[in-house]
Amino acid sequence: MTLPEPDGFAPASEALVADLVPRDETSAKRTLRTVLNLVGGMFLDDHELGHSNLDLVVTRRDTGAAVLRVAAGTPTEASYLIDRVKTDLATKSIEDFLSEWR
């Protein structure tokens, strides 16, 4: 049995959306990240030695303005992070979401 939601509750997902977005970076940084990942994969058996070039970006649905941008970390961390943020957007109010993530 599910409990009724309190009057006036609107999940943050009605106004905000989260995505993983490639970060603008120089070719030197992109090359260094690629080399570190290759070395990690070949010698250290660690395929996620370096961070990805992804940022987690939360934007307003109405204007597209970014309200939050954080580095997403390794590909595994990015996957976990986007899942957690989407869950929080669906279950928290805008105020609660922003106070927790900022």
Side-chain angles (χ1 to χ4, degrees):
M1 170 184 214
T2 60
L3 297 173
E5 294 190 22
D7 290 344
F9 175 78
S13 60
E14 290 183 3
L16 303 173
V17 63
D19 289 305
L20 292 172
V21 178
R23 176 180 322 127
D24 288 334
E25 62 184 6
T26 65
S27 60
K29 282 185 180 181
R30 187 172 36 253
T31 301
L32 178 60
R33 184 175 34 79
T34 301
V35 168
L36 286 174
N37 286 336
L38 287 171
V39 168
M42 289 175 17
F43 297 108
L44 302 175
D45 197 29
D46 182 357
H47 300 282
E48 293 187 351
L49 183 65
H51 290 285
S52 69
N53 73 326
L54 298 174
D55 284 341
L56 171 83
V57 180
V58 177
T59 57
R60 292 177 50 148
R61 287 186 184 272
D62 59 351
T63 64
V67 295
L68 177 69
R69 178 183 281 273
V70 295
T74 66
T76 300
E77 292 168 340
S79 176
Y80 171 77
L81 186 62
I82 191 73
D83 288 344
R84 178 153 179 236
V85 167
K86 287 184 176 184
T87 298
D88 283 357
L89 285 172
T91 59
K92 298 180 186 283
S93 69
I94 294 172
E95 294 81 17
D96 291 341
F97 176 81
L98 291 176
S99 69
E100 181 178 324
W101 284 95
R102 281 191 172 166

